[in-house]
Amino acid sequence: MSTNQLFYTLQIADNALILGHRISEWCGHGPILEQDIAITNTSLDHLGQARSLYQHAADLFNALSSAEKTNCFASAALQAKISKGENLTEDDLAYLRDGWDFRNVLLVEQPNKDWAYTIARSFFYDAYNFCFYTELQKSKDSALAAIAEKSLKEVTYHLRWSSEWVIRLGDGTDESHARIQEAINSYWAFTGELFEMSVVDKAAGEVDVNALKPVWLQRVTTVLDEATITVPKDAWMHSGGKDGRHTEHLGYILAEMQFMQRAYPNMEW
Amino acid sequence: MTVHSFQEHFDKKIDDEVMIEPRDWMPDDYRKTLIRQISQHAHSEIVGMLPEGNWITRAPSLRRKAVLLAKVQDEGGHGLYLYSAAETLGISRDEMLDQLHTGKAKYSSIFNYPSLTWADMGAIGWLVDGAAIMNQVPLCRTSYGPYARAMVRVCKEESFHQRQGFEIMLTLSNGTEVQKKMAQDALNRWWWPSIMMFGPPDADSPHTAQSMRWRIKRFTNDELRQKFIDVTVEQAKLIGLTVPDPDLKWNDATGHYDYGAINWDEFWNVVKGNGPCNKERLEARKKAWEDGAWVRDAALAYSKKRKARKENNKTLAA
């Protein structure tokens, strides 16, 4: 057993948790009640996927040798648990790691801003996630394959929902067209990282994300065309999230999300 | 039929416990009372998403986060059923929302209190949803059909909410000293507002008599309040928490708990807009609505375009 499979699982789990967290910020504040309910449902799906993945990651972690365990995570709270020989849980992994041990792509931590930015972010990610989970179903790790198979049903719906919104906004009013075009242009720079093979991707030998790009681009282009939105030209792409180098946004997400576990450590809730 | 005989027919249905349906004749005041009550109820669900939504991003575990999200989402669903029930009485959702945003329509005052700690998620589920269930279970048999049917669905989910709230409190009271303190603090702050949720005492409740006659209401405010107190005091004992009422005492003669004087000045002040969060809650709702205007416009414009294109294609095909 090595740490590769653990980090690989965390990379997927962190994407699900952070995007689910961002989307959950809409709950109670949506533009119309039906969509408030729909977007909260999506958030619940991401959170459910994150939980399955963190539970699997915890199992992988707990099976490591004690030397390997010590080198996995930097936070003092986790180091204290590890040095006491405690097993880690899904909550330890979500609530006690610091930002540099989070491996999510930068796209998912970007702020909601407005409905257009939220939709653009989800659309790019859903289209990727659909391609990704389709391939992950073939994983040699049977737990990951099972999670992928179950999640793919949800992701298929997410992609339909966000695609429909891109089209609706793009082909709606002048204002909505301008807003969604701006959001697509702005978050485009975060899509390159989705297809970069990180050190962990290479070592895990699971999905070749680089190979997903043409399929992704074709899907995205089809929807953007129907939405009368111009596909952004290839330009500078941000990256670093998969290696733990994040934007400033992640720190604030974690400060909020982890507050209870930090202020009241080692308690059952 | 004359208006007089319409009225007789309506009264007979009420007396025979036959449900009134949207197309049936009904007295204007019955319709108005229902619109007021159902829309107020729908608004309460939507505004009620805010104090709990406040803790979604800070929930202490992934499981609690998921349950809370699902719960707040349910409240949105309840709002949806209730707005639809009210629409059958000839008012649109936009009109109702406008009444909420302008302050013409009320919502349950309990949501004007702040949710300050995680334990408030427990207290709200246990007490606020618990009180809501006491109010709502009889509404499953209310005389207006669409309202009664909406309430059957609402009540099923509310009892799950109440249990999850109680379970949060139970976990806290089995926890560390600071967790117990957090649970007690939440009970201290939510107890009195919760028992005020049943509304003013019967003597000061202007709508009760007529609503009872129309079988919109089945029990008076004070009857429901007493029932809630009797049940909840026992639950508090079970988890080792103290109800913050020094005058609370079991009364053998009545078979009920006697309770201390309720601060109705506070109640009326919160109703009038002076509660700790009245402004924030209404502003949050207005902001969501105003910020969403361009999104709703876009959806409408797109659906019109799509329809026009379909028509066009049909004409071309023909």
Side-chain angles (χ1 to χ4, degrees), chain B residues 250-287:
Chain B
W250 178 255
N251 183 329
D252 260 336
T254 59
H256 293 291
Y257 277 96
D258 292 336
Y259 51 93
I262 296 174
N263 183 350
W264 291 111
D265 280 349
E266 175 182 323
F267 175 81
W268 288 116
N269 254 306
V270 180
V271 170
K272 281 178 198 142
N274 299 325
C277 298
N278 293 59
K279 259 188 89 181
E280 283 95 329
R281 300 291 185 242
L282 206 53
E283 273 167 13
R285 284 314 315 158
K286 281 204 285 213
K287 184 174 187 313

Side-chain angles (χ1 to χ4, degrees), chain B residues 36-284:
Chain B
R36 182 178 53 80
Q37 184 172 332
I38 302 172
S39 67
Q40 188 172 321
H41 190 165
H43 298 327
S44 301
E45 299 283 357
I46 303 308
V47 178
M49 294 170 81
L50 298 171
E52 288 180 288
N54 189 27
W55 277 88
I56 289 170
T57 53
R58 291 179 292 167
S61 74
L62 295 175
R63 183 174 82 91
R64 291 294 182 199
K65 194 195 260 310
V67 173
L68 184 61
L69 249 182
K71 193 208 156 184
V72 179
Q73 185 197 31
D74 279 350
E75 311 289 1
H78 298 172
L80 209 52
Y81 312 151
L82 289 161
Y83 283 125
S84 304
E87 282 181 315
T88 63
L89 291 157
I91 184 167
S92 72
R93 205 203 296 182
D94 282 5
E95 282 174 85
M96 287 184 269
L97 289 175
D98 191 56
Q99 291 175 353
L100 171 68
H101 298 155
T102 56
K104 196 181 156 211
K106 299 283 179 220
Y107 55 86
S108 182
S109 270
I110 192 88
F111 300 118
N112 291 317
Y113 290 86
S115 62
L116 302 177
T117 73
W118 170 252
D120 289 18
M121 298 304 98
I124 292 176
W126 174 35
L127 302 172
V128 176
D129 292 323
I133 293 170
M134 291 284 170
N135 262 327
Q136 291 171 359
V137 167
L139 290 175
C140 298
R141 293 186 298 124
T142 195
S143 59
Y144 186 58
Y147 190 25
R149 289 187 288 272
M151 290 317 300
V152 171
R153 294 178 68 178
V154 171
C155 284
K156 276 187 194 150
E157 291 174 350
E158 287 295 353
S159 69
F160 150 75
H161 296 170
Q162 200 262 350
R163 278 202 303 275
Q164 71 88 32
F166 185 71
E167 203 235 318
I168 289 175
M169 295 304 262
L170 179 67
T171 307
L172 292 174
S173 53
N174 286 332
T176 60
E177 281 311 308
V178 70
Q179 285 176 303
K180 283 178 200 160
K181 188 177 167 190
M182 204 183 269
Q184 183 63 54
D185 168 70
L187 174 58
N188 292 350
R189 283 181 291 109
W190 289 94
W191 172 257
W192 290 103
S194 298
I195 66 173
M196 291 179 201
M197 274 178 74
F198 297 94
D202 296 346
D204 303 325
S205 174
H207 304 296
T208 293
Q210 183 57 265
S211 287
M212 298 276 282
R213 167 68 193 100
W214 279 331
R215 303 206 176 159
I216 294 174
K217 257 174 124 156
R218 297 271 173 175
F219 299 96
T220 71
N221 296 353
D222 286 332
E223 283 168 348
L224 290 168
R225 184 170 12 250
Q226 185 67 58
K227 205 173 159 196
F228 173 75
I229 290 172
D230 290 346
V231 170
T232 312
V233 169
E234 294 302 321
Q235 292 171 345
K237 277 189 197 164
L238 205 66
I239 53 176
L241 296 178
T242 310
V243 172
D245 176 359
D247 298 323
L248 191 76
K249 211 170 65 202
W250 178 255
N251 183 329
D252 260 336
T254 59
H256 293 291
Y257 277 96
D258 292 336
Y259 51 93
I262 296 174
N263 183 350
W264 291 111
D265 280 349
E266 175 182 323
F267 175 81
W268 288 116
N269 254 306
V270 180
V271 170
K272 281 178 198 142
N274 299 325
C277 298
N278 293 59
K279 259 188 89 181
E280 283 95 329
R281 300 291 185 242
L282 206 53
E283 273 167 13

Side-chain angles (χ1 to χ4, degrees), chain A residues 21 27-28 31 34 37 40-41 43-44 91 95 167 171-172 175-176 179 256-257 260-261 267-269, chain B residues 57-62 64-66 69 72-73 80 93 171 176 179 285 294-296 298 302 305 309:
Chain A
H21 180 95
C27 184
E34 286 82 349
I37 294 168
T40 302
N41 226 25
S43 170
L44 271 168
D91 289 329
Y95 291 97
I167 294 166
D171 196 16
E175 182 182 2
S176 69
R179 280 173 178 263
E256 188 173 351
M257 185 173 76
M260 286 296 292
Q261 292 275 352
M267 297 180 200
E268 293 288 321
W269 299 98
Chain B
T57 53
R58 291 179 292 167
S61 74
L62 295 175
R64 291 294 182 199
K65 194 195 260 310
L69 249 182
V72 179
Q73 185 197 31
L80 209 52
R93 205 203 296 182
T171 307
T176 60
Q179 285 176 303
R285 284 314 315 158
W294 71 270
V295 179
R296 297 189 300 275
Y302 176 72
K305 278 189 198 174
R309 276 177 212 148

